[in-house]
Amino acid sequence: AFMWSPLGSALVSIAPGGKNLTEPNVHVWRRAGAGDPGAGAGAGGEYKLQAQFCHPKLEKDKKVLQWTMDENLCARLTPEGKINLHDGADLAEAPLMELKVSNVAGFEFAPLQPKEGFHARLALFVADQRDDLQRVVGPAEVSILELSANMEGLQSSTSAKMSVPSGQVADLLWNSTGNCLIAHCQTEVDETGQSYYGGSRLAFMSQGGEVKKDITDEECQGGCVQAVSWSPTRDEFILISGFQPAKATLFSWDDRTKKLAVKKILLDKAHRNTIRFNSFGSLVCLAGFGNLAGGVDFFGREDDDYVHVSSCTANCTVSAEWAPDGRHFLTAVLAPRMRVDNGLSVWHALSGSKVSNTPFEELFDVQWRPEPNNKHPDVTQEEISQASKEDAKNVVEAGAQKKQAYRPPKARGENTNTVAQMMRGEVAAPDDDRRNRKPRRAKEDEEPEAKEAEVANRPPPPEAPAPPPPRPAATQPAKAQAQPPQAQELQAQQAQQAQQAQQAQQ
């Protein structure tokens, strides 16, 4: 796998780990033209190997390196579960500081904007403690550290800390301003036995620790979290919770009043497990990928609210990503998860129509080429409003064309039982009342003479042919009794002697 630093001055290549691995499998390549920390990638130059590390227990998609947004500082997760802080421009030198934590399973820098002086904010997740039978004996912990620099060097202080009943891994999600954190803690096995895919907890914590909230029991049905994601531009996030069909809820965070509130339910019951915001935060995709059918709903932000703008279906999707323009959405069917129907599709989000489809014999990965955010204009309010009106019109037309299930008249609120109405005297009996008719007689009783004449004039049936004479019984020859071999030899000798006597007489 590959990973870029925020300003593109360094490229990290990561190879899978192994139990007896002794050679480095994490390599840091720095561009030759890059300057001091925070200077970016520079004007050009080749990438040269700067540092390398060995992580024998490195798992897939596990983060081991991360820079701050200005690349002044880089945090590295050691194989022993500790965090080392390095100079962002030179990871080959000795670490500037080692944090006094252990058993770290995840870390994430807050997206703080660069300013005068050095200041960074780091979230840490420490996994729970378990015995030999994998039973929880100690809770997991989520903490927020403030990092600063003075004449004595780097300084760290804990600003907030929260315990979670259980958690082996966690996704640490900062909001766009870096003043509150969501920790999606997960376990491999659900101890309650409600979910086959393991257990999950959702912890919310403000930067200063004023608000600490476990929203799993309050908002998640049975403690099942399908997906959660912050808006890239606002203090609000979407949570998909509950067993399928799940519920998608929009939450808002007010940093001034320190309150977290439910703003809107986007989908009450839908098979969805994926959330993708575009880079502007103006459009969001709620989809059901993986083992779900591939249903996709696009919502647009209009006047401080999200409205539904379009829908589509992307079957067997493995990877999904917004285009840099924020208007098109890429879905891909990748190997090795899917061995057939590999390919990529591009969708126009405002209309839900497929604008491109490219099949491949075998496709392993696909990504958009990064572009500056200011290169493309954001989706306007007029476009979202028009798309919402077109979507509502399409829903009405589809509902009118949809076949309705049969319902009896009583269920439709109609009273069409004429017999009951006549018995109550509400409706007059019809003029051709069949009850006054004479009983219908058989045809034989009405016209006996005509039937007798027809029978008399009917020609006689042809005579049947005489039956064939009986066949004589077949005589079966009596079965010869089996003779012993000595008797057969005696008879043969007698016959031979008789033949010789007859020849002598001649």
Side-chain angles (χ1 to χ4, degrees):
F2 295 92
M3 184 187 73
W4 291 95
S5 61
L7 300 179
S9 61
L11 174 65
V12 182
S13 61
I14 304 173
K19 186 176 181 180
N20 299 322
L21 182 68
T22 57
E23 298 180 356
N25 59 334
V26 178
H27 299 81
V28 181
W29 307 80
R30 187 164 180 82
R31 199 166 187 177
D36 296 332
E46 296 182 356
Y47 284 88
K48 297 183 178 180
L49 181 63
Q50 183 189 69
Q52 53 187 357
F53 309 96
C54 179
H55 283 260
K57 299 181 181 180
L58 184 59
E59 300 175 358
K60 183 180 179 181
D61 299 332
K62 187 173 183 178
K63 182 182 297 184
V64 294
L65 287 172
Q66 189 185 14
W67 282 264
T68 55
M69 292 189 65
D70 55 7
E71 294 191 4
N72 279 318
L73 193 67
C74 179
R76 181 175 75 91
L77 178 64
T78 66
E80 296 79 18
K82 297 182 179 296
I83 295 293
N84 290 341
L85 300 178
H86 293 261
D87 183 354
D90 191 359
L91 273 69
E93 297 293 333
L96 302 176
M97 184 181 191
E98 181 177 291
L99 299 179
K100 297 179 180 180
V101 291
S102 59
N103 197 24
V104 176
F107 64 101
E108 188 75 25
F109 276 113
L112 301 180
Q113 296 298 328
K115 59 181 180 180
E116 293 185 4
F118 174 76
H119 179 235
R121 187 170 296 152
L122 180 66
L124 298 178
F125 172 75
V126 178
D128 57 20
Q129 300 177 10
R130 297 174 178 256
D131 59 11
D132 296 338
L133 299 178
Q134 293 299 310
R135 293 175 299 189
V136 179
V137 296
E141 187 178 79
V142 181
S143 57
I144 299 177
L145 277 66
E146 302 291 339
L147 304 175
S148 59
N150 54 23
M151 298 299 295
E152 299 178 358
L154 280 177
Q155 304 294 327
S156 67
S157 61
T158 302
S159 62
K161 184 181 294 185
M162 181 179 177
S163 296
V164 182
S166 62
Q168 295 173 294
V169 295
D171 296 327
L172 302 175
L173 309 173
W174 287 100
N175 64 340
S176 59
T177 54
N179 56 26
C180 58
L181 174 74
I182 291 177
H184 182 196
C185 308
Q186 304 168 57
T187 57
E188 294 181 357
V189 178
D190 184 9
E191 296 180 357
T192 63
Q194 296 181 354
S195 175
Y196 175 78
Y197 301 98
S200 57
R201 310 287 298 184
L202 202 63
F204 180 90
M205 183 168 54
S206 62
Q207 171 266 329
E210 301 88 353
V211 179
K212 300 177 183 179
K213 191 175 184 181
D214 188 347
I215 61 179
T216 308
D217 298 330
E218 299 180 12
E219 302 296 339
C220 304
Q221 306 170 14
C224 182
V225 179
Q226 300 288 345
V228 60
S229 179
W230 282 99
S231 168
T233 55
R234 297 174 179 84
D235 288 342
E236 55 190 19
F237 65 90
I238 295 177
L239 169 65
I240 301 179
S241 60
F243 297 103
Q244 301 293 348
K247 179 175 68 173
T249 309
L250 175 66
F251 290 82
S252 63
W253 163 251
D254 190 345
D255 188 58
R256 183 177 57 85
T257 61
K258 305 297 181 183
K259 289 185 177 180
L260 177 68
V262 175
K263 192 172 183 179
K264 184 180 180 180
I265 296 178
L266 300 179
L267 295 173
D268 190 16
K269 289 184 178 182
H271 292 83
R272 302 291 182 268
N273 61 0
T274 304
I275 305 172
R276 295 286 188 274
F277 280 94
N278 68 353
S279 59
F280 306 102
S282 55
L283 293 174
V284 61
C285 167
L286 304 183
F289 297 146
N291 58 348
L292 299 181
V296 179
D297 290 297
F298 291 102
F299 290 83
R301 187 175 179 84
E302 180 186 22
D303 298 332
D304 199 32
D305 188 17
Y306 282 93
V307 295
H308 192 274
V309 295
S310 66
S311 298
C312 63
T313 302
N315 297 319
C316 304
T317 296
V318 178
S319 174
E321 185 180 358
W322 280 96
D325 64 357
R327 299 169 182 267
H328 294 86
F329 192 70
L330 170 70
T331 60
V333 181
L334 304 178
R337 175 167 184 145
M338 297 298 297
R339 294 295 186 181
V340 296
D341 299 333
N342 283 192
L344 62 91
S345 301
V346 179
W347 308 81
H348 185 249
L350 292 175
S351 62
S353 58
K354 184 186 294 187
V355 298
S356 176
N357 184 30
T358 306
F360 288 88
E361 184 70 23
E362 201 170 28
L363 182 64
F364 291 95
D365 195 9
V366 57
Q367 294 182 14
W368 292 99
R369 184 179 65 183
E371 294 182 359
N373 292 334
N374 56 3
K375 184 176 181 179
H376 301 279
D378 191 6
V379 182
T380 63
Q381 293 287 312
E382 291 75 13
E383 291 178 295
I384 294 177
S385 177
Q386 182 63 28
S388 178
K389 293 178 181 178
E390 291 292 334
D391 178 69
K393 181 180 177 181
N394 295 335
V395 170
V396 172
E397 293 178 354
Q401 297 176 0
K402 186 177 180 180
K403 294 183 179 180
Q404 299 292 335
Y406 171 77
R407 293 186 303 165
K410 187 176 182 180
R412 296 195 295 264
E414 302 175 2
N415 192 1
T416 57
N417 194 338
T418 310
V419 176
Q421 293 176 350
M422 287 191 298
M423 294 180 65
R424 292 192 299 264
E426 299 174 358
V427 178
D431 296 336
D432 56 341
D433 191 355
R434 298 184 179 182
R435 294 175 296 177
N436 298 329
R437 289 184 177 181
K438 294 182 180 180
R440 186 174 183 180
R441 295 182 300 173
K443 189 175 181 180
E444 298 86 3
D445 299 336
E446 294 177 0
E447 301 176 355
E449 298 180 357
K451 186 175 181 180
E452 293 178 359
E454 181 181 355
V455 173
N457 297 331
R458 185 179 301 169
E463 296 182 359
R471 295 178 62 183
T475 58
Q476 297 182 356
K479 293 183 179 180
Q481 295 182 356
Q483 297 180 354
Q486 297 81 358
Q488 294 180 0
E489 294 179 1
L490 182 60
Q491 291 180 1
Q493 293 177 1
Q494 294 176 356
Q496 184 178 5
Q497 292 177 0
Q499 184 178 4
Q500 292 176 358
Q502 186 178 0
Q503 290 178 358
Q505 292 177 4
Q506 294 177 358

